[in-house]
């Protein structure tokens, strides 16, 4: 679709705590917006996922409680468990409801930067 595009990203937390999940999710979201010159109004919806070892906070709750995405549909799912998977990872997929103004920048922070070395600039 020419009128939409998606941005992926991921981050990690060192330990499963509401404060760490909140901080990591907000940092990731802020970087997605900043590096892609987006406004919240550009977003059609956000899909978040988290690994099974993050249980103290739903990543969508972390983002929703900021009050910045009140009109954006959010959905959070648990990642499938796979042998050897990275621990304590939160992923984001942002669907933008307008044509891209340039190249989309995927954002991988903290230990998650090793998940997609092919997307590093």
């Amino acid at each position: 679709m020419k009128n939409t595009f998606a941005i992926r990203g991921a981050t990690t937390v060192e330990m499963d705590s509401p404060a760490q999940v909140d901080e990591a999710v907000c940092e990731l979201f802020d970087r997605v917006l900043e590096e892609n010159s987006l406004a919240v109004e550009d977003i059609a919806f956000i899909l978040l996922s988290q690994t099974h070892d993050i249980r103290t906070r739903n990543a969508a709750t972390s983002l929703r409680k900021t009050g910045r995405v009140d009109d954006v549909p959010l959905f959070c799912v648990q990642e499938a468990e796979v042998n050897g998977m990275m621990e304590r990872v939160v992923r984001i997929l942002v669907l933008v409801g307008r044509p891209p103004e340039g190249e989309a920048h995927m954002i991988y922070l903290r230990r998650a930067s090793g998940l997609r070395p092919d997307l590093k600039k």
Side-chain angles (χ1 to χ4, degrees):
M1 288 190 271
K2 294 181 183 180
N3 293 326
T4 62
F5 67 102
I7 299 163
R8 297 183 310 261
T11 191
T12 58
V13 294
E14 288 307 309
M15 60 182 279
D16 180 23
S17 74
Q20 283 203 17
V21 176
D22 290 350
E23 178 186 343
V25 169
C26 291
E27 176 189 30
L28 178 59
F29 182 67
D30 288 343
R31 287 283 300 277
V32 165
L33 292 181
E34 178 184 315
E35 301 224 4
N36 288 283
S37 300
L38 295 176
V40 172
E41 296 77 26
D42 296 327
I43 299 171
F45 78 85
I46 300 172
L47 174 65
L48 296 138
S49 68
Q50 59 195 59
T51 52
H52 67 92
D53 47 10
I54 299 175
R55 296 185 175 160
T56 62
R57 174 86 79 211
N58 178 300
T61 300
S62 293
L63 198 50
R64 179 74 65 210
K65 70 183 246 174
T66 67
R68 296 171 50 205
V69 292
D70 290 340
D71 296 328
V72 177
L74 303 178
F75 192 75
C76 187
V77 298
Q78 181 177 312
E79 288 283 330
E81 291 186 50
V82 177
N83 290 337
M85 68 190 295
M86 188 177 288
E87 296 179 339
R88 296 179 302 281
V89 177
V90 175
R91 290 176 173 84
I92 192 169
L93 177 67
V94 178
L95 183 68
V96 180
R98 65 164 171 75
E101 294 175 356
E103 184 178 343
H105 300 280
M106 309 307 160
I107 309 298
Y108 291 86
L109 304 176
R110 304 177 186 194
R111 288 182 297 108
S113 64
L115 289 172
R116 293 298 305 266
D118 58 313
L119 295 177
K120 283 188 178 179
K121 304 270 182 224

